[in-house]
Amino acid sequence: QLFFATFYRLFYLSVKSGSRKDQADDKQGQDRNFSFHGFRDRFMVLKIAKFLLFCSKSACMQILIVEDEALLMESMVSYLELEGFRCEKASDYHTAVCVLDKHDYICMLIDLNLPGGDGLELVKLARENQSESGIIIISARNTIEQRVEGLDAGADDYLVKPFHLSELVARVHSVARRTRMKGGEVLSFGVISVHPEEHSCFVDKKQVDLTRKELDMLMFLMANRNRVVTKESIADYLWGEYGGGYGSYDFVYTHLKNLRRKLQDAGCPDYVENIYGIGYKFSLDKSP
């Protein structure tokens, strides 16, 4: 799925960058043999790529995104599609109501400030119609009362804007995990196995005693494997709005250091790479 998604995006960019020049050349009557530089050839390859992407998505997990900010919508769609999700989009209340029953969504991301209606009412409607789907509210409303109201309306999680996309992915994975597996899923990465519902971690079947924050940090890194994540995004995920209130992120370093030590003591390779001035990367092919 990642291959098809990447394949499609590369050729889409290729068409965008080359179509104007190719059309101008075609007007001058220049003949071409078959090559990816021809506009018609680009168009055919793009159609094939779209078809392959559609086929690869047919077995993907469906997500409904209800958001009226176009740039944020596109950013979320791009990020989530590379994670293997298929995204249905709605930019207003009435469109969202129309597509609510279109699929059995594994998760729904719903903004509260929507044109045409109240997002909170949409959350209640979504919970009534799709009782098994996960619901995450994404909103700039950040008071405790507003969060409680959203959760009471039926949401599984509440993410305050602005947020890091890496945090969004981790929360979607968490909600999708609970929705899809009902506690039976095991997360694996290299020699690490995590049982989320049991709050347990194993390295080659040897149990590792982790604190709740260390386990949450590990699952966050696993959900964003092979991506560079910032200290800020880790702090926001683990501590919410209080993550940035300490003046520095030394506490992130301390928790990560303890996590790495415990995993290595159990015989696990160090999968964490320090990216100077930015954050960390969790991958099997860590740079020396």
Side-chain angles (χ1 to χ4, degrees), residues 73-93:
M73 169 75 85
E74 292 307 316
S75 296
M76 289 191 292
V77 169
S78 298
Y79 213 83
L80 288 166
E81 283 186 344
L82 289 177
E83 285 294 311
F85 295 101
R86 184 179 183 183
C87 300
E88 184 76 38
K89 300 184 290 184
S91 59
D92 58 72
Y93 180 89

Side-chain angles (χ1 to χ4, degrees), residues 18 66 81 116 176-177 258:
V66 186
E81 283 186 344
R177 202 163 48 236
N258 292 336

Side-chain angles (χ1 to χ4, degrees), residues 6-269:
T6 305
F7 180 77
Y8 165 69
R9 292 187 181 285
L10 286 175
F11 275 105
Y12 177 78
L13 293 175
S14 177
V15 170
K16 291 277 287 185
S17 63
S19 60
R20 290 184 178 179
K21 178 179 182 301
D22 292 331
Q23 287 174 319
D25 291 343
D26 285 341
K27 289 179 180 179
Q28 295 176 4
Q30 295 182 3
D31 295 329
R32 286 188 178 84
N33 295 322
F34 182 84
S35 72
F36 289 151
H37 297 291
F39 174 77
R40 294 183 181 86
D41 299 332
R42 288 174 185 268
F43 180 72
M44 288 301 298
V45 170
L46 181 57
K47 290 184 67 175
I48 294 171
K50 282 186 175 180
F51 174 75
L52 292 174
L53 182 60
F54 174 79
C55 293
S56 73
K57 284 180 175 180
S58 61
C60 290
M61 296 177 290
Q62 294 275 358
I63 288 182
L64 173 62
I65 304 178
V66 186
E67 171 60 57
D68 64 323
E69 295 181 36
L71 290 179
L72 178 57
M73 169 75 85
E74 292 307 316
S75 296
M76 289 191 292
V77 169
S78 298
Y79 213 83
L80 288 166
E81 283 186 344
L82 289 177
E83 285 294 311
F85 295 101
R86 184 179 183 183
C87 300
E88 184 76 38
K89 300 184 290 184
S91 59
D92 58 72
Y93 180 89
H94 297 295
T95 302
V97 171
C98 291
V99 301
L100 199 58
D101 295 325
K102 188 175 181 180
H103 302 287
D104 291 326
Y105 299 106
I106 194 72
C107 183
M108 291 179 274
L109 306 177
I110 301 177
D111 186 17
L112 296 183
N113 297 319
L114 294 172
D118 184 12
L120 204 59
E121 292 301 317
L122 182 62
V123 170
K124 295 176 182 178
L125 182 62
R127 179 54 69 212
E128 291 174 2
N129 290 6
Q130 299 215 26
S131 59
E132 298 299 319
S133 299
I135 299 176
I136 300 177
I137 290 176
I138 49 175
S139 176
R141 303 179 188 176
N142 61 357
T143 67
I144 296 297
E145 292 77 15
Q146 289 168 331
R147 295 186 193 188
V148 171
E149 186 180 18
L151 296 173
D152 285 344
D156 298 284
D157 202 352
Y158 197 113
L159 188 56
V160 177
K161 298 178 181 178
F163 51 79
H164 296 271
L165 290 174
S166 55
E167 180 182 2
L168 174 68
V169 166
R171 290 179 183 268
V172 168
H173 275 297
S174 179
V175 169
R177 202 163 48 236
R178 296 195 299 268
T179 304
R180 184 178 68 249
M181 301 302 295
K182 300 301 181 183
E185 187 182 22
V186 177
L187 305 179
S188 298
F189 185 89
V191 298
I192 301 174
S193 298
V194 174
H195 300 251
E197 298 302 321
E198 299 174 8
H199 305 292
S200 58
C201 173
F202 297 84
V203 172
D204 281 334
K205 299 182 179 181
K206 178 181 178 182
Q207 187 163 3
V208 183
D209 185 20
L210 300 178
T211 67
R212 179 59 184 267
K213 289 299 184 186
E214 290 166 353
L215 186 64
D216 288 345
M217 179 178 289
L218 177 59
M219 289 193 291
F220 178 80
L221 293 172
M222 293 173 72
N224 289 282
R225 61 198 177 279
N226 301 320
R227 284 198 179 106
V228 177
V229 294
T230 65
K231 295 177 182 178
E232 292 86 348
S233 66
I234 297 175
D236 287 346
Y237 179 73
L238 296 179
W239 287 276
E241 63 178 312
Y242 305 104
Y246 298 100
S248 72
Y249 294 97
D250 291 343
F251 58 94
V252 173
Y253 170 77
T254 299
H255 280 279
L256 185 58
K257 182 180 69 173
N258 292 336
L259 172 62
R260 296 169 78 172
R261 175 180 54 79
K262 290 180 179 180
L263 292 175
Q264 290 180 71
D265 287 347
C268 178

